[in-house]
Each structure stands twice: as structure tokens, then as C-alpha cells.
Amino acid sequence: MMTIRLPQGPALILRLLAVLWLVVMLMLVVLSPSALNLTTVSTILQFSTILALVALGQALVILAGGAGIDLSVGGAVSLSAVVGMLAVKLGLPVAFLPVACILCGLLLGAFNGLLVTRLSILPLIATLGTLFVYSGVALAVTRGAAQSGVPEWLTDWGRAVIVFVPLPFLTVALPAFAISILLLSATAWGRWTYAMGFNERSAHLVGIPVDRVRLLLYAASGGLAGAAGLVSIAWLGSARPNIGQNLELESLTAAMLGGISITGGRGGVGGVLAAVILLITLKTVLLQLNVNTVWQVGIVGALLVVVLLAERLAHHWR
């Protein structure tokens, strides 16, 4: 008798997300065929770039366990973008604007890491506090106004499209995920991250520098948020102090939808990228169909429950 073997783990998640994405696209074709064009696809990938970078950092922090979470990513995106533009206005050569954004994000993330590892503050509390601090500072120093004066070469890059794929997606988001997949699968650093998430006490006993790895992961999450801030500047042509609003919850949703276990030690970042594209596609389709934003939130929540339930049932039937 032939038995059907269900895929497990990341493979199952990727298949589920692919099927759901096809369902969403089919819904768009049936209900609003005129909305399906290359411009829509390009817009989806453009929006996906910012969320993908933030969700990648969120996923890395969660993978390492220890109740890891980074709720400050939205504030870090906003503050990195604002600091980068203000630094240029204060005399920093415009060529260093990308460096300023990413470096600012790295420092903000490292500060989170210090709160968690050195002061032993719960990640949920530490990053919730810094979310308000980072967001508040971004609004205070700009008085809520967008900072203009972005150099033309940067907006040219941020708005460029090859075929129908935005250049920031090709040159920043995809390389970031490729490097992360390589590091997690083929280096000691990646094995330490999974080991910490699976059993932190055992990781300590075998000599893994848990605090140092966790500090670096928070710094990496901040650096990716800084890169997302840079992409937002390049795309929108200004640094907006509220550009990171709601990214903390959206990135957390994408990480879980992509198969990252909330307790750490399980999942792959490839699923996170697929989840980001599915989420942005779904929100774009709902917008095209004029679905109320209240219903949009409910539908995204239902999607998350369906994927988690399917993955849990498949694990139970294994």
C-alpha cells in the first residue's frame, strides 16, 4: 500500500505559502483582472523590500531563543532614516548617507542587545521601551516633518526597476537573505544560533558564547532596520519620521508565518521572504478590491492561524 509522506518544517511552510499566494493571485484575476499587471507586481516587490529586511532581523533574533523578540524595529527604521538625512544636512558628505543609516541602525540594535544580555531585561520589555524611545526621538527632532534633500543618485537607485523587479529588492533584500541562509546553514555562527534557540542551557554548557551571539543578532536586526530606512529614503525621496509605524507587528507576523518558531531553534529565513511577499500581495489585492482596512487586519490574522494550524496538524500526523 502506497503511503503519502507529508513534507515537514520549512518545506511544508514554503508549499503552503506558495499555494496561498496562488489562491490570492487567482482571486485578483477573477475579481479585478484589470489590476493584474506588471506595475502591480513591481509595487508589491517594492513594498516587500522594506518589510523583508525588517522581518529578516526579527527572525534572526527569535531563532536564537531566550524569549528573543525585537519590537523596536519600526522605531529603528524611522530613526535611522531621520538620522541619516539630518547628518547630511549637518555637513556629512552625501556619499556616506547609506553608511550613516546602516551604522545608526547597528548602534540602536546593539543597544537593545546590551539591555538584554548585560542588564538581563526581558527582550519584550527592553525592545518595547526602545520602540517608544526611538520613535519618539525621530518625531521630536523633526517635529513630525519629512526631511527632504535626498540626492538624485539615491532616488534613481531606489526607484529603478529591472524588467519589473525594483533594484533595491535585487541589490539589498535578496543578497541579505542569501547571506543569512548561507550563514545559518554553513557556519558555526548559524549552528550556535539554532542551538541557543533549541536549548540555551545546553548551549552554555558546550561553550557557545550565548550573550555575545545574542548581542550580535540584535545588532544585525538593527542594521537591517537601518538598511530598510535607507530604502525608504531612496524610494520616497524623503526621510519620514513615521515610516516604521506598525513594522514591529508586521515583521513578527511575517516571521511566524514563515515558519520561525516563537520559542526559537526551528525554522528557516527562506520562508520569511515567502511570507513577506504573500502578506504584501494579500494586502495589495484587498486594497485593489476596496476591502475595509478593519477586515484586512482580520484576514491577515486568519491567514496566520491557518498556516500555523496546518503546520501543527502535519507535525501531529507525522
Side-chain angles (χ1 to χ4, degrees), residues 137-193:
V137 171
L139 286 170
V141 298
T142 61
R143 298 182 178 179
Q147 302 300 301
S148 58
V150 179
E152 189 175 340
W153 58 266
L154 190 58
T155 54
D156 287 345
W157 168 75
R159 297 169 181 171
V161 173
I162 295 180
V163 187
F164 57 87
V165 182
L167 202 51
F169 186 82
L170 279 177
T171 58
V172 180
L174 287 183
F177 274 87
I179 292 170
S180 298
I181 290 172
L182 182 64
L183 289 175
L184 288 173
S185 61
T187 67
W189 187 84
R191 290 191 288 275
W192 291 350
T193 301

Side-chain angles (χ1 to χ4, degrees), residues 16 56 67 91 107 140 160 169 196 209 257 260 277:
L16 278 172
L56 176 59
L107 293 175
F169 186 82
M196 288 164 54
L257 194 61
I260 301 296
I277 293 175

